[in-house]
Amino acid sequence: MNSVLFVSHDGDVREAGIRALERGGFDVTPAAHGGHAVLACVERGFDVLVIEDALPEGPGHAIAQRLRRHCPHIRVVRMCDAEPGAAGAGIAVVRPFTADDLVDAVQTLRRTISR
C-alpha cells in the first residue's frame, strides 16, 4: 500500500517530489504527462496519484478520471497554485508547500486506504 504515481510536466517538481516521498517510505513512479501515467497504470496498479492540478494536456482531475479506468481505487493528491475549487477529488496541497506537506497528504490517503 505504498505505491505512488507522481505526475508533473516540470522535471524539478518531479525530482523534488520523488525525493520527498521516497524519504517518506513510498515506492514512487514518475510520469511527465498523462500519457505516461496511463501507461504506468496499465503496467501496474498504484495506491496514490500525486498530480499537478494543471498540466499542458489538460486538468489533473480529468487525467485522474482516465487513470481510474485502469486503477479504480487510486486516491488523489492534487498539487495546486491556489486554493482548489470543487473540481476533482482527493486532497489538495497548495503551493508553496513543503516536502513534509506532500508526505503528510500521501500518508493521510494511505491511512484511508488501509481502513
Side-chain angles (χ1 to χ4, degrees):
M1 293 280 192
N2 287 326
S3 62
V4 177
L5 178 59
F6 193 97
V7 184
S8 175
H9 65 282
D10 184 320
D12 292 336
V13 170
R14 268 194 322 274
E15 289 300 316
I18 290 166
R19 275 194 312 272
L21 292 169
E22 285 178 342
R23 279 195 305 261
F26 296 97
D27 175 23
V28 185
T29 299
H33 56 74
H36 286 162
V38 170
L39 289 174
C41 275
V42 168
E43 291 176 6
R44 77 177 267 210
F46 293 95
D47 302 313
V48 176
L49 168 67
V50 177
I51 190 165
E52 294 278 356
D53 209 34
L55 290 164
E57 69 267 25
H61 68 87
I63 294 166
Q65 287 176 336
R66 280 191 2 221
L67 294 179
R68 283 202 174 95
R69 292 182 205 145
H70 307 287
C71 298
H73 302 293
I74 200 166
R75 305 294 176 105
V76 180
V77 173
R78 297 165 42 219
M79 297 180 288
C80 307
D81 288 327
E83 199 59 42
I91 293 177
V93 289
V94 180
R95 288 186 184 90
F97 56 84
T98 67
D100 288 339
D101 294 336
L102 182 60
V103 171
D104 288 347
V106 173
Q107 287 175 337
T108 297
L109 287 182
R110 190 180 77 181
R111 282 192 296 273
T112 65
I113 293 168
S114 299
R115 291 181 185 167

